[in-house]
Amino acid sequence: MELIYIGKFYSRENVRWEVQLLRNQDYEPDSIGLLHFPGTEPLVFEWTEESKEVPLCGSTATLTVLSPGDRTYTGLYTDDPTAVRLDVYRNGTLYWSGCMDTEFYEEPYSQVENYEVLLTFSDFGVLDRLRYDLAGMQSLHDILQNALSRSNINYVDIDSSMVSTCLAHSFKSIGLADLKVRSDNFYDEDGEAMSLRKVLEGIFQPLAMRMIQRDGRIWVYDLNGLYMNGKSRELRWMSDDQTLGVDKVYNDAKITWSTYAQSGNLLPEECWGDIETPANETALNTQDGGFKDGGVKYYSYHYSSKLNDWTDSTDCGFTIWTALDGRNAELGESKDRYTRFFKIVPQYDGTESEGIAIYWEGVQAVLDPFNPKHVTYYNRPYGWRALMAEDIDRVDLPLFRTTPIWAPPVMEADNLVLRIAIEMMMDPRFNPFEQAETLWAEGNIKFEEQDKWYDEFEKDGNFVYVPIMVKFQPDGSDDIYVWDNRDAVKYPVKYPITTLRDTYGRWVRYSKDAKTTTWGYLAYYDADDREKKCGVLGWKKNRPAINPHRQRLLSILSKAEAGQYIPYPNFGGGGGKLWIEVRGGGWMIAKSGQDLSITDTMRNLYSSVNWVLMKMPELEIMNSTQFDKAIDTDDVEYSAKLNESAKEPIEIETVCGTSAKGVPTARGAYFNTKTGAQITELSRAGRTTQTEELLIGTLYSQFASRKTRLDGTVEIMSGSLQTYRDASQPDGTVLMMTGSVENVQDDTMEASFVELRPDEYDKAGT
């Protein structure tokens, strides 16, 4: 930032105040303007009075200057709330900093020069207008530093020396770098980020921490730490306006932690881009399809099984649109072989869906111009046809991969599994939404027996295996791990896989030597009839992968929800990136009761396939101890009686917190920066329990009984964050300032002080 204005004045006690205005610009100004001040109240600071439980204690500055000419300072105002900053120095030392309030400006319009202009500034006010923008795991210190940097205020350092909270059973106070949180906790389900103010309130309030700017420093502290470690100064009253009163008292205290635990599908369901797909736009009875700009194509399909009907341009069942560009997934090296994003638009049949088109065909019926009753059909393949395995120990390049998501660190990873499901359509019908029938032409000419293909799939294609790579990269590491279940799938059928746990597979380290020899399989089969039915034809989801045997499955496996269950990745202790790749080549079709191998039957079955489509993969975190039970996402509540005679309760809702048993997938949990473990308890004032219980203890100490309150005009007391005492109060009474208005020219401030107590716990109160 560049200095654009400067001014100085002295207070009545000969304190030198220097004011600097700086602007965020890329060039140095031709000259630095000189500020002139009126005779009274040139600079006033206000710390709005805040109750003791409020985490952010912001302040404002009102600077009054004399305008030497008409509208001299109107150029300072801009839409950018961080563009202009006020730095104030007291006797050469930074005292306060904040940015201009862009929401308010007013000056006399009837005068030409030497009129007063009020410029207002705020230190933390700008945090309401800035959105959180970090990702991954972040320490509390990094979040605060990022917020302060983006708010553009100037400060000497961040002082957390008056934090008295410790890690569980420790006697050393935590630093802000000792705890970390998940960034996704501060984004809603639509990806909208919280304001920086709400984020800072969210990370500090459960820890009973407060933040304030004093004497050029950002102080982060808790009330117990302020009581125990704050330097104390005696109040010097400067007027006879002081009053004695009492602070508020609360009845009940309730703290509700919204865990924001991850549940349901963690991957986006949509992948089609912003391309319009009008239902009235079709490309029926053409192998080539229709064309749009950007490589977009679309193909329409008949709903009739009579070949003669295909020439009717209104006989349209559905249209599939394809595009090279999409979202939430990336086409792999297969894109040069025409794998595409797709969207199905129904006309008279079909269901709207989107995903990745791996293989499809354009079809066309052609009339003989010399014999109107003679018709034949042609089909043209698109996509990646070479899916079937040529070598059981080899797979090909990726067909597509999902955009990586962040898998959080969890407590007791052995009690969790990931469930991966991909809904796939592998089908021999030209129109997979109509019943499989023999394709006829006029005169009973039989062209294709699609019903026969259907029967053959159910007879010999009971199992379909699709190779995938599920990859996990721990935060801060170059290592990558890959999930592998090939041993289970390749077991001879005389050793049947019948238990769910035997289908889980394992994680192995991914290396250059393993790029083509480490992967896992998704298995498609009918759980109710693995001998006479198949797991494809129409839209079907994979099931826990077993070898292609006919033996009875244990009920927990046979009744499991669709999807592949795999161990939760637990490497490095800090979470990491996870993504899924569907591979080309290496696909297998197997007959029930026969060992997995490459056969002519497999090749013949696949030769009849006209469709291979996949919807976006689904990924869900599940309990493994309470099988198939979704993760508990309920809020966690803590409550206590503070003073049953008081009238009002106090209720606090938090976005960060702890639970005695932990909440495995809670976005709002605290984590130990060094170990990566989820925090379930902390210590303060000799007590170890959940942060919410500690906070209730703090509330009990401050609001369970009446505390003295003093208001009046006192001498400005600069220096570090401190506590106060008054000669007229009983010995041992400690006061804290809860709000003030400082008139620096008079060296006085109108302030409010409330009695402060250390954290004291009582069974009745907690």
Side-chain angles (χ1 to χ4, degrees):
M1 299 191 81
E2 298 293 336
L3 180 64
I4 56 175
Y5 288 102
I6 191 170
K8 300 176 184 178
F9 63 90
Y10 287 84
S11 73
R12 287 189 171 84
E13 296 296 327
N14 209 33
V15 174
R16 181 166 61 88
W17 293 90
E18 180 177 305
V19 174
Q20 296 183 1
L21 289 179
L22 302 95
R23 182 158 52 198
N24 202 2
Q25 57 189 37
D26 297 329
Y27 57 91
E28 293 185 7
D30 295 333
S31 61
I32 298 174
L34 185 62
L35 296 174
H36 298 277
F37 307 100
T40 59
E41 298 188 352
L43 179 62
V44 176
F45 296 109
E46 179 177 2
W47 276 264
T48 303
E49 184 172 3
E50 301 287 5
S51 186
K52 293 177 182 177
E53 77 278 5
V54 175
L56 261 61
C57 306
S59 58
T60 61
T62 301
L63 178 66
T64 305
V65 295
L66 297 176
S67 180
D70 188 23
R71 288 170 281 187
T72 300
Y73 299 109
T74 56
L76 293 176
Y77 280 84
T78 170
D79 292 335
D80 183 356
T82 65
V84 178
R85 188 179 77 209
L86 170 68
D87 288 348
V88 178
Y89 293 82
R90 185 179 190 272
N91 287 332
T93 301
L94 182 65
Y95 184 79
W96 190 92
S97 179
C99 290
M100 179 171 283
D101 181 359
T102 59
E103 299 299 319
F104 175 79
Y105 181 83
E106 184 177 277
E107 67 170 49
Y109 196 53
S110 60
Q111 296 175 253
V112 177
E113 60 185 12
N114 292 326
Y115 53 85
E116 293 184 5
V117 177
L118 273 65
L119 306 177
T120 57
F121 302 83
S122 172
D123 54 1
F124 302 155
V126 68
L127 299 175
D128 285 313
R129 299 181 60 181
L130 300 176
R131 296 287 175 179
Y132 187 78
D133 64 353
L134 298 178
M137 297 289 280
Q138 299 290 336
S139 72
L140 305 193
H141 180 271
D142 290 341
I143 291 175
L144 175 56
Q145 199 167 50
N146 172 264
L148 295 174
S149 174
R150 292 181 59 203
S151 70
N152 241 357
I153 70 171
N154 188 16
Y155 62 96
V156 176
D157 59 26
I158 299 171
D159 193 309
S160 60
S161 61
M162 282 184 272
V163 170
S164 63
T165 306
C166 309
L167 294 175
H169 308 293
S170 171
F171 297 100
K172 182 182 178 182
S173 296
I174 58 172
L176 297 180
D178 293 333
L179 299 183
K180 60 182 179 180
V181 291
R182 294 173 51 174
S183 287
D184 58 347
N185 186 44
F186 309 119
Y187 297 86
D188 65 18
E189 299 289 359
D190 296 323
E192 184 71 20
M194 287 184 183
S195 69
L196 288 178
R197 172 180 286 277
K198 288 186 176 180
V199 170
L200 293 179
E201 290 174 342
I203 63 176
F204 288 149
Q205 188 162 45
L207 302 169
M209 291 182 181
R210 310 181 89 219
M211 184 176 86
I212 193 169
Q213 177 186 191
R214 289 286 188 189
D215 274 29
R217 285 179 166 79
I218 303 299
W219 298 85
V220 179
Y221 66 100
D222 58 54
L223 298 181
N224 184 68
L226 177 61
Y227 182 94
M228 303 298 295
N229 302 315
K231 295 180 180 179
S232 182
R233 294 181 63 175
E234 186 164 336
L235 296 176
R236 182 184 174 193
W237 300 103
M238 303 298 290
S239 178
D240 59 0
D241 61 351
Q242 57 264 39
T243 59
L244 170 66
V246 292
D247 196 19
K248 53 194 155 190
V249 176
Y250 288 120
N251 183 310
D252 297 310
K254 184 171 80 171
I255 298 173
T256 304
W257 171 34
S258 176
T259 63
Y260 198 16
Q262 287 178 289
S263 64
N265 183 16
L266 305 183
L267 293 171
E269 298 178 359
E270 299 82 14
C271 65
W272 187 254
D274 296 328
I275 302 166
E276 293 185 359
T277 56
N280 61 353
E281 195 158 352
T282 61
L284 190 62
N285 203 39
T286 170
Q287 301 175 67
D288 299 326
F291 295 85
K292 287 281 191 179
D293 292 340
V296 177
K297 296 188 67 177
Y298 54 99
Y299 310 81
S300 299
Y301 298 85
H302 304 261
Y303 64 85
S304 171
S305 60
K306 295 181 179 180
L307 197 61
N308 301 76
D309 294 339
W310 285 21
T311 57
D312 182 352
S313 60
T314 64
D315 191 23
C316 188
F318 72 94
T319 299
I320 183 170
W321 293 71
T322 65
L324 181 60
D325 297 319
R327 55 189 173 129
N328 299 322
E330 175 188 351
L331 300 181
E333 288 81 350
S334 66
K335 67 184 181 182
D336 293 333
R337 309 183 194 188
Y338 310 111
T339 300
R340 293 293 185 265
F341 295 95
F342 82 83
K343 182 174 182 179
I344 288 178
V345 178
Q347 270 87 33
Y348 292 104
D349 61 12
T351 56
E352 185 170 314
S353 56
E354 58 187 78
I356 308 298
I358 296 171
Y359 179 78
W360 69 103
E361 294 192 355
V363 293
Q364 181 178 13
V366 178
L367 288 171
D368 187 333
F370 302 103
N371 183 359
K373 291 187 176 182
H374 185 267
V375 61
T376 189
Y377 84 91
Y378 301 90
N379 58 307
R380 177 172 297 169
Y382 294 93
W384 196 344
R385 183 66 175 174
L387 294 178
M388 289 299 108
E390 298 294 335
D391 181 345
I392 198 170
D393 293 319
R394 180 179 174 274
V395 295
D396 212 328
L397 300 171
L399 297 170
F400 70 94
R401 59 176 61 89
T402 62
T403 300
I405 64 162
W406 187 70
V410 298
M411 297 182 60
E412 300 178 346
D414 291 342
N415 294 335
L416 298 174
V417 292
L418 297 177
R419 183 168 69 190
I420 297 173
I422 302 181
E423 196 168 1
M424 178 176 71
M425 178 187 288
M426 177 183 282
D427 207 291
R429 293 169 290 179
F430 286 122
N431 186 331
F433 301 110
E434 295 295 334
Q435 184 176 351
E437 296 179 350
T438 298
L439 189 64
W440 295 92
E442 186 175 329
N444 282 340
I445 300 174
K446 184 169 63 175
F447 281 90
E448 291 289 358
E449 297 177 297
Q450 297 191 30
D451 47 358
K452 179 182 177 182
W453 299 341
Y454 224 75
D455 292 341
E456 288 180 349
F457 247 101
E458 294 195 328
K459 174 177 174 287
D460 295 324
N462 311 106
F463 289 80
V464 174
Y465 296 94
V466 176
I468 68 169
M469 284 188 174
V470 185
K471 295 182 178 179
F472 176 77
Q473 183 176 16
D475 286 344
S477 172
D478 293 330
D479 292 335
I480 295 178
Y481 297 85
V482 181
W483 170 73
D484 186 354
N485 71 337
R486 289 171 298 154
D487 289 344
V489 168
K490 293 179 181 179
Y491 275 155
V493 295
K494 65 181 179 180
Y495 304 113
I497 301 296
T498 60
T499 68
L500 182 68
R501 190 163 290 277
D502 287 340
T503 69
Y504 283 1
R506 60 196 176 96
W507 289 95
V508 298
R509 191 187 297 272
Y510 182 61
S511 66
K512 292 182 179 180
D513 295 335
K515 281 188 177 180
T516 57
T517 58
T518 305
W519 66 89
Y521 284 106
L522 298 184
Y524 293 80
Y525 59 91
D526 190 307
D528 297 323
D529 188 349
R530 289 172 285 119
E531 187 174 355
K532 298 179 180 179
K533 298 289 183 180
C534 69
V536 293
L537 306 181
W539 285 115
K540 299 290 175 61
K541 285 186 178 182
N542 61 292
R543 298 195 53 78
I546 59 175
N547 52 343
H549 67 84
R550 298 175 177 175
Q551 303 304 311
R552 178 180 176 273
L553 304 177
L554 293 184
S555 60
I556 195 173
L557 175 55
S558 63
K559 296 182 182 302
E561 291 290 330
Q564 174 65 48
Y565 298 81
I566 72 175
Y568 194 92
N570 187 30
F571 304 97
K577 294 189 301 184
L578 186 145
W579 66 100
I580 300 169
E581 297 178 357
V582 175
R583 308 293 292 201
W587 292 42
M588 306 282 284
I589 301 176
K591 181 177 177 61
S592 179
Q594 297 182 2
D595 291 343
L596 192 64
S597 62
I598 300 172
T599 64
D600 289 339
T601 300
M602 177 184 80
R603 295 189 180 98
N604 291 336
L605 283 174
Y606 183 63
S607 68
S608 69
V609 169
N610 290 317
W611 293 96
V612 181
L613 306 177
M614 280 187 166
K615 296 181 182 179
M616 287 289 287
E618 301 172 13
L619 177 67
E620 186 172 2
I621 302 175
M622 307 291 294
N623 281 304
S624 62
T625 53
Q626 296 173 291
F627 179 67
D628 247 4
K629 183 176 180 181
I631 298 298
D632 184 6
T633 61
D634 292 342
D635 293 347
V636 180
E637 289 189 359
Y638 300 82
S639 61
K641 180 75 70 176
L642 302 187
N643 186 325
E644 61 183 7
S645 299
K647 179 181 178 182
E648 299 293 336
I650 180 170
E651 298 184 1
I652 297 175
E653 296 182 356
T654 65
V655 297
C656 293
T658 59
S659 173
K661 296 181 180 180
V663 182
T665 63
R667 294 180 177 94
Y670 291 105
F671 296 86
N672 186 309
T673 300
K674 290 184 179 179
T675 67
Q678 188 177 134
I679 298 290
T680 59
E681 56 185 10
L682 293 169
S683 297
R684 186 163 63 244
R687 189 184 188 210
T688 299
T689 184
Q690 286 68 58
T691 59
E692 293 81 0
E693 295 286 6
L694 295 177
L695 178 55
I696 286 177
T698 298
L699 298 176
Y700 174 82
S701 302
Q702 306 305 325
F703 300 117
S705 60
R706 293 292 185 191
K707 302 296 188 294
T708 300
R709 175 190 174 105
L710 300 176
D711 295 87
T713 304
V714 297
E715 176 187 45
I716 291 179
M717 290 172 283
S718 63
S720 64
L721 185 65
Q722 53 205 326
T723 60
Y724 304 90
R725 61 185 184 275
D726 183 67
S728 299
Q729 289 296 309
D731 289 344
T733 301
V734 176
L735 303 169
M736 66 175 289
M737 189 187 304
T738 57
S740 67
V741 178
E742 296 185 4
N743 183 348
V744 301
Q745 188 180 48
D746 289 343
D747 298 294
T748 62
M749 59 181 178
E750 297 175 6
S752 300
F753 302 89
V754 174
E755 184 180 353
L756 176 66
R757 295 297 303 165
D759 278 11
E760 300 166 316
Y761 300 97
D762 186 291
K763 291 182 180 179
T766 60

